[in-house]
Each structure stands twice: as structure tokens, then as C-alpha cells.
Amino acid sequence: MSTESDLPGGNDFHDVTQIFLDAASEMPPGEIIFREGFTLHDAMSAFEIGEPRLDSGMVLAEQQRPPFDPWAPLLPEEICWIIDRSFSLEMLFHAGNPLAHTVFTSLYSVAILDLHPDLAPYGEDPESHLITIVLRASISGMLKCCDLSWRELSQGHMYDTEDWQSDKCETSLLEGMSVQNALLGLDNATGWLIRTRQVPEPWLTALVARLNLRKSLLQLMDTNVFRSPSNFMQLIGVARNHLKTVQSYPSPEPPASSIAHFAFDPYVARKLNSSVPIRVIPVPQMSSTWSALELLLDGWDEMRLLSSTNALASWETAGLLRAWSPNPPLRVPYIRSATQSVFYNGLLVLNKFGPQWIFDRFFYETLGVSQQAVLTFLEEHSTSQWLAWGDLQRGHFKLMTEYIRALWFNPGRRRRFLMKLLVELHAYYAKMLDIQSSMPGLSVTEIMSHLSSCVLLWRLSVIRDVVLSGFQLELYTAEERSFAYWYLSEVIEAHLECLDRLLLAVNPDSTPARELRFQHSFLTALQAMALPMFMLSMSLMSFDWQQMNANFHRRYKWAFSPDYGLVSAPVVAQPDFDHFMAKCKAALKSPETYSPVESFTLAHTILKQLVEERMVGGYAGLWTEDRIKLLQGLVDASEDLANDLRTAQIPSFDEGLLKWDPYNTPSPWFPVVDDEGKERRRNRRPRSAAN
Amino acid sequence: MASEPSGLHPPSAVSRLHSLLTRLLRITTTDGRVFIGSFAGTDKPLNIILLNTDEFRVNPGLDDNPDGRYVGQVLIPWKLVVKVEVHEGGLADREAVLDGFI
């Protein structure tokens, strides 16, 4: 029983319960008493205590549990299980969940500061050492990893509450402990286990493997990839080895009667400084946790490869492939943030390059000439008296660094960024057109006559990505898909025209030419798939032009930004609904003039050749296999669609027949013909005939 | 604006309740929690509104955050109330009272 002095606030309180009771009996019904300035409206925003949905501190009867005793003796296998489960919770935090619902539900992590050996209530027995040395080191290592992740995530590359949850609930992530100290603790724990041999096998090996895995993860988070790239690579290998050992020494779930279960409380947030409503997140199977950890290591590995990749086009390729391919899934926010930090640390690109290098690479990777060559040529040939080359360079640096970083945003954020970028790219394109116009009389085979095309190519690829991301994010309604495919083919048409012109001037044996030729083939195939999709998905439209036009203006509002009016140059490849309507009407009048099967077959032939001859362009680099995988997905999609159209004699698609499922179809941009839909259609035909 | 009790001569209990407004209250609830916050108002069923409130648990365990936590503005229904106490120090602010405890 608590005494008065036990209560928070001390003894300077006196009982006024009876005043409330007396006042209530005197107050007429409906009477309200408020302090000065407080209104009924203010009162509405109070959290109601005792209401389970609002009162995060309320303990329901079924959630009652004995008080947590961090010193309760545990068996080695129970320690193993607690460590494994803590790995699971850490991976859930990395997946974007709040600390209060993941890491902190491991009560040892909340009580870590009380877990000091000096505070242990019992002596020098092995059970107490398992907690004070082994478990404490492991939990400290995990918290330090979370601290380092938190520091990376709070740099501003990721969006709080969107990509990750920053709320620490005023709970320690061992911010004051150095990484070296945490590593020392892990080494001591491993040393104690091996030296004393007080833990029997297989738990000795299992525990050592878990401590080693934690150590290598902590070292990876603490290592600068630029300062010691070989060490970084080595650490990834070491971590993979330890992970394999951990997986081969699994820890079974303790029996229901085990006290190890009390080490976790999914409702711990009720005791923490957290205003987020409690959500109990089911802890995944260990196999999922180890897969998540492998993906984290893959992410580090890719980051390491990128850190030594000096071609911006390869960075772009890697970013786009990660955005386009559902496998591997979107990297965890920590990796996406760290990758952005590797690219640009706020001062330098790739830890060593400045604005000039970025500009130089842009011309070199598109035209095969250096920035200096461009500048010299301009100085010799330009009729303009004043050339704002420095401004152009700084503007380019800002656009390019933001663009490359945005490729590691989450898909929705990335799409929004790209939509905004399009206006700025148009202004940049207009500036290049001005420079171009100051050098009259250049022939089309002259490389310097294509300076503006470099920017145009960039802008067109961004528009294409905006349209395609709409399919991946499942934004388009059935009625919008036909326009999206038609517009995609229009954008690709403009892109192909630009590539045709460039290929006349670029040295055919150069790396840029190889990339341009790949882009040409790839886009031709993509267009050959988009056009029949425009025709076939027309049947999904209501043909209510007014409503469709209103939807069009909402979906493509980025194209109607008033900022376009500030630039006099005409905008290339703007979405045009009137043009689309005219195309639809023409297609409906004479549908026989176009063969979707032939178009899909053409795409299939081109893509298959690219895959078989491994023609992946000039800048795929270390991402060649990923590019092949993307192409193979399109090969499969075009083949399936052509076959389904041919064998099923389908003149058009309807909503039930097509299935857009970006995560489970060969290509995220194109649908598959649904088997169930085919069956439904087959069954419907005889009835139609009977009618 | 504070709503005045009806009538020219308010009953004494209601006026005493009025005098508690803005004072620091400590409310103990049936589930073993203690709320300390500034009294903002109530109604006839005695739903009590506290501002700048901290929540504590009686006899907290190791995982129970003995320092309590800030829960802001809360409404405590009378059915959960075991005891209401007022701080002797008049209009003492929350920090001054809790600092010694936290």
C-alpha cells in the first residue's frame, strides 16, 4: 500500500475530493465550470482517460502482466531467443515503425541503464554473467546501432513520419556511449563465453555468433566507406558469414511458461513519453528477419559499389533500376539515406568532386566531350557577348545532385520531386537553346549543335519516369490508363527523335554512343508495347470527355504550372488531351489498321535481342545483371500479351480481363491477362450468342 | 471566459470549486495511476479536465518509467477517480512541484 509520501509531487497536497462531490450535487444539470479563457472547444481536444483508443497509458485486464525483473535468471537458449527477437524488432524499426512499437518493446533495451553488473542482486554465478555480460552487451550493441541509424536518418535525406519515425520517447539509445565502448562490451562478452566455457554447446557457438554478428553490424554503421573501402567490403563479408552461422544455430521459442516472454511488452509505449497511439506489430518469423538483414547487407554492398562509381549515368541507372524493379524491394530508409550521403555530403560529390566535375561528366557522358571543350568552342564560335557559364554550372550542380539523391526517395516522394523538377529542367533547356542560338550555322553532325539536346534528353526521361511511376504506384484508374500509355508513346517519340539527331553526331565507338543506341532500342520496344496498350485499354474508358478532361487536368497538373509561362521556349512533349481525343476517334474509326499482336511481337523481338546479346548500353556497369533482369521482365510481358491476344482472339480488353499488379507481374508497367478474367469472358460468350 | 454559477449568491461548494481552478491537482485513479496537472474545468458529472498533465504510476517497476510521462491535456471521468488533492502552494507551477520529485 502506498503511503502519502510515496506519491509523486510530495506531501504538499490536501484532499479536496469532498468539495467536488458537494459541488456536483449543487450544480444544475448542464452546468460547466471552466477557468478563464478555456472554452468547450478547448476541452474537446483532451485525451479521455479510461478510453482505450485515446488513453495510451491504460492497462486492460487482459494486458496485465507481472512486473519486469531484468535480473530473473535465464537459460542460454532463452538469452539466444531474446537476442534474436531483438534483431527482429530492430528490423521492424528499419522498416519504418516507431521505436516505441519495436525496439523499446524489448524491456531490456528500456532498462539497459539499470543492467549494470554492480547493480546485480546476486553473486558471481554464470546466470548473472549471462545477463550482465552477454545480454547487456548484445542489447547495448543493438541500441548503439539504432542510435547510429537514427543519426543517419535525421540528416534530412529521409522524411520523418513518412519514411521513418524519429520519436525516441525520451528513451535512451545510448547516445552518450561511444561505439568503441559498445564494441568492447561485445568483445568482452565473446571472450567471457569462450574463456569460461560455462555455457554448453550448441548455445556457446550460437551466442558467440550473435555477438559477432552484432559487432560487425555496428562496425559497418561506424565505418566511412570512403576512408576504408576495403575494410568496409571485408566487414560485409564477415557479417554475412556470421549471419550464416546464426541461421544454422536457430533459437527455438521458449515454452509458454518461460520468463523470457516477459522480456517483451508490446504495450510499453504506455509508459514512455509517446503520444502515438499504440499499435501492436506482430513480430515476424526469424526467417523474415534474417532475410531483412541480408537485404540490409546487400544495400551496404551496393552503397560500397556506388561509392567507387564515378559515372553519373551509372548512378542514375542504379537508382532507376532500384525504383523500377520490385525485386529487391525498396531499400530500408537507413540505406537510402546513407546512399544519398555517399553521393553528396552537402559539400562534395562522392567525397571529392565539386560542381565543375558534375558539369563535366554531364557533357562527357552524353556527348563524349569535356566541359572545357564545350566552353572553348563556345568562346570561339558564340556571337553572344556575355555567357553566364558559372551560373549555368551552379544551377546544373543543384539540379543534378538533387535529382540523383531523389532516386533514393520513397516512390511517392520521388514522383512528386520529379514532377517539380520538370519545370526547372525546362528553364535549363531554354537557357541551353539560347546558347545554341548564339552559334548559328552548325551542321547536325557537329557535336556542339546538340548541347540543348543533352538537357532535353534528361527532361524527357524524367517525364517518362513520372508516367511509369503512376503505374507502379497504382495511381491510374481504369479510365486514365489509355491516356497514360498514349502519352508515354508520345514522350518516347520525342525522345527517339532526339536520340536520332544525337547519334548522327556522337562518335559511334564511344561509350556515350553505346548508351544512346541502347536507349534507342529500349525505348523503341517500350513504345511498341505502350501503343497497343493505348488501343486496347481504350475500352476501359467511359468516353465522358468532360469528366475525363477534368481528371486529366488533375493528374497532369505538373504540366500546367504557371512557371512554364516565365520561359519563352516552347515546352516539348506536353500532355495534350485534345490530341488524345482525336487519336482515340481515329483509332475507333479504323481499328483494323493497327495490329496489337504485331506491335507486341516487335517489342519482344527487340528486347529479346538486347537480352541475348547482352546489349545493355555504356553505363550499366556493375548493374548490368539488373538491367538484363528489367529487360527480361519486359520480354516476358510482351510475349505473354502477344500470345494471349493471338490465342484468345481478344479484340479488346475489359477491366475484368486485365490485371495490373506491379509487384507480381513480369513488368511493373504492363498488365497480364488474368486467367480468371479469360474464363469469365469464355463463359459469357455463349450467353451473348444466345441473346 | 469563466462561466459563473447561476444566481447572485453562488452555493458555497461550487464557489470553493471555482477557487480550485488553475490550481495544481493530483488525481489518483482506480488503475493505480496518478495525474498531476493544472485544473481547467469540470461539469456536473465531474469529468475533470487537467492541463499540462504528467502521468505517474504508483510503485513503478524498472520498466515503468518512474519519472512519469507528460500526457498534456486530459479528461478524467469521475468513475475512475479515487482521490482529488490540491497543492498547498497556491498557483505553483508544475515544474516547481515536480522538479523535486523527478
Side-chain angles (χ1 to χ4, degrees), chain B residues 28-95:
Chain B
T28 310
T29 57
T30 50
D31 62 357
R33 283 184 284 171
V34 171
F35 295 90
I36 299 181
S38 167
F39 181 38
T42 189
D43 56 4
K44 185 171 170 66
L46 294 180
N47 293 301
I48 304 171
I49 293 174
L50 298 184
L51 305 182
N52 288 330
T53 314
D54 286 84
E55 177 202 68
F56 299 86
R57 281 168 203 277
V58 180
N59 294 330
L62 261 181
D63 59 326
D64 269 342
N65 193 3
D67 293 343
R69 59 176 196 148
Y70 182 73
V71 289
Q73 182 175 320
V74 295
L75 181 148
I76 308 172
W78 189 256
K79 65 180 178 192
L80 299 179
V81 174
V82 174
K83 186 162 64 172
V84 185
E85 295 159 289
V86 66
H87 189 250
E88 301 279 11
L91 298 173
D93 67 311
R94 165 182 164 264
E95 282 80 10

Side-chain angles (χ1 to χ4, degrees), chain A residues 156-171:
Chain A
H157 301 319
M158 291 289 111
Y159 290 85
D160 190 7
T161 70
E162 189 174 302
D163 292 293
W164 72 296
Q165 309 285 332
S166 68
D167 188 6
K168 289 191 201 180
C169 309
E170 295 180 26
T171 305

Side-chain angles (χ1 to χ4, degrees), chain A residues 457 460-461 464 489 491-504 506 511-529 602-603 605-607 609-610 615-618 627 631 634:
Chain A
L457 278 184
L460 290 170
S461 62
R464 186 187 69 222
S489 74
V491 174
I492 293 175
E493 187 61 35
H495 204 138
L496 288 172
E497 282 171 17
C498 195
L499 287 172
D500 284 335
R501 288 195 302 272
L502 265 174
L503 280 166
L504 291 174
V506 176
T511 310
R514 275 215 313 282
E515 182 64 24
L516 293 177
R517 282 197 295 274
F518 164 77
Q519 291 292 342
H520 199 283
S521 303
F522 169 67
L523 291 176
T524 307
L526 200 58
Q527 190 185 37
M529 291 178 78
L602 170 70
T605 310
I606 296 169
L607 291 163
Q609 191 187 1
L610 288 175
M615 288 162 59
V616 288
R627 205 171 235 191
L631 295 173
L634 286 168

Side-chain angles (χ1 to χ4, degrees), chain A residues 327-358:
Chain A
N327 186 28
L330 185 69
R331 299 271 185 227
V332 291
Y334 169 76
I335 290 292
R336 288 188 284 122
S337 175
T339 306
Q340 290 183 48
S341 299
V342 163
F343 179 70
Y344 182 52
N345 61 12
L347 190 66
L348 295 170
V349 168
L350 294 172
N351 207 38
K352 55 188 165 197
F353 300 119
Q356 195 175 335
W357 180 82
I358 290 265

Side-chain angles (χ1 to χ4, degrees), chain A residues 363-572:
Chain A
F363 288 114
Y364 181 75
E365 289 170 17
T366 322
L367 300 175
V369 292
S370 70
Q371 183 218 185
Q372 193 53 46
V374 174
L375 191 55
T376 309
F377 188 88
L378 280 173
E379 281 166 357
E380 287 171 6
H381 294 81
S382 176
T383 54
S384 175
Q385 295 296 311
W386 183 74
L387 188 63
W389 197 247
D391 286 352
L392 214 58
Q393 199 176 61
R394 278 188 291 278
H396 180 90
F397 181 74
K398 180 180 171 288
L399 286 179
M400 185 55 87
T401 47
E402 285 180 353
Y403 169 64
I404 296 286
R405 280 184 40 215
L407 297 176
W408 275 268
F409 285 176
N410 68 61
R413 180 65 64 172
R414 185 173 143 268
R415 182 181 153 89
R416 283 196 290 281
F417 171 84
L418 294 180
M419 289 192 299
K420 283 184 192 157
L421 181 70
L422 284 169
V423 183
E424 293 178 70
L425 282 179
H426 177 63
Y428 184 19
Y429 169 63
K431 280 183 199 163
M432 280 296 194
L433 279 180
D434 281 348
I435 292 175
Q436 202 79 65
S437 63
S438 71
M439 299 183 293
L442 292 180
S443 82
V444 73
T445 54
E446 174 61 65
I447 195 80
M448 297 301 174
S449 68
H450 297 285
L451 294 181
S452 59
S453 299
C454 297
V455 183
L456 185 59
L457 278 184
W458 184 5
R459 185 169 183 273
L460 290 170
S461 62
V462 171
I463 302 179
R464 186 187 69 222
D465 207 13
V466 168
V467 178
L468 290 176
S469 66
F471 286 106
Q472 288 191 250
L473 290 164
E474 300 176 85
L475 295 180
Y476 302 128
T477 61
E479 200 159 65
E480 287 176 303
R481 287 184 188 125
S482 187
F483 183 88
Y485 282 120
W486 173 79
Y487 181 50
L488 177 65
S489 74
E490 291 288 298
V491 174
I492 293 175
E493 187 61 35
H495 204 138
L496 288 172
E497 282 171 17
C498 195
L499 287 172
D500 284 335
R501 288 195 302 272
L502 265 174
L503 280 166
L504 291 174
V506 176
N507 175 6
D509 299 324
S510 64
T511 310
R514 275 215 313 282
E515 182 64 24
L516 293 177
R517 282 197 295 274
F518 164 77
Q519 291 292 342
H520 199 283
S521 303
F522 169 67
L523 291 176
T524 307
L526 200 58
Q527 190 185 37
M529 291 178 78
L531 267 175
M533 284 311 305
F534 147 61
M535 305 275 287
L536 294 165
S537 49
M538 235 193 291
S539 56
L540 308 180
M541 298 187 334
S542 65
F543 289 95
D544 176 354
W545 295 120
Q546 204 174 353
Q547 182 59 46
M548 286 178 68
N549 195 18
N551 289 345
F552 159 77
H553 277 278
R554 269 194 294 275
R555 180 69 68 208
Y556 295 88
K557 59 175 183 275
W558 52 266
F560 304 102
S561 162
D563 292 348
Y564 280 108
L566 303 174
V567 181
S568 57
V571 190
V572 180

Side-chain angles (χ1 to χ4, degrees), chain A residues 1-2 4-17 19-39 42-51 55-59 65 67-71 107 110-111 114 169 265 268-275, chain B residues 1-6 11-18 20-26 28-29 31 33-36 38-44 46 48-49 51 55-59 61-65 68-71 73-78 80-89 97-98 101:
Chain A
M1 185 71 191
S2 307
E4 285 288 320
S5 56
D6 290 334
L7 288 177
N11 296 328
D12 287 344
F13 283 88
H14 76 262
D15 197 342
V16 288
T17 314
I19 296 177
F20 274 82
L21 288 169
D22 293 345
S25 62
E26 287 176 7
M27 284 161 73
E31 177 82 11
I32 301 170
I33 295 173
F34 283 145
R35 66 192 287 177
E36 185 82 22
F38 195 80
T39 64
D42 296 328
M44 303 294 275
S45 57
F47 287 115
E48 186 179 338
I49 300 302
E51 162 57 50
D55 181 6
S56 63
M58 185 182 169
V59 184
R65 46 185 289 134
F68 171 61
D69 175 11
W71 301 110
L107 297 180
V110 179
D114 299 308
C169 309
D265 178 7
V268 73
R270 70 162 65 99
K271 299 162 186 171
L272 306 175
N273 277 303
S274 166
S275 55
Chain B
M1 186 72 190
S3 19
E4 294 297 327
S6 52
S12 61
V14 175
S15 68
R16 286 174 70 196
L17 192 60
H18 264 276
L20 296 179
L21 286 170
T22 73
R23 301 274 297 273
L24 202 63
L25 295 189
R26 176 165 74 184
T28 310
T29 57
D31 62 357
R33 283 184 284 171
V34 171
F35 295 90
I36 299 181
S38 167
F39 181 38
T42 189
D43 56 4
K44 185 171 170 66
L46 294 180
I48 304 171
I49 293 174
L51 305 182
E55 177 202 68
F56 299 86
R57 281 168 203 277
V58 180
N59 294 330
L62 261 181
D63 59 326
D64 269 342
N65 193 3
R69 59 176 196 148
Y70 182 73
V71 289
Q73 182 175 320
V74 295
L75 181 148
I76 308 172
W78 189 256
L80 299 179
V81 174
V82 174
K83 186 162 64 172
V84 185
E85 295 159 289
V86 66
H87 189 250
E88 301 279 11
V97 175
L98 296 181
F101 181 76

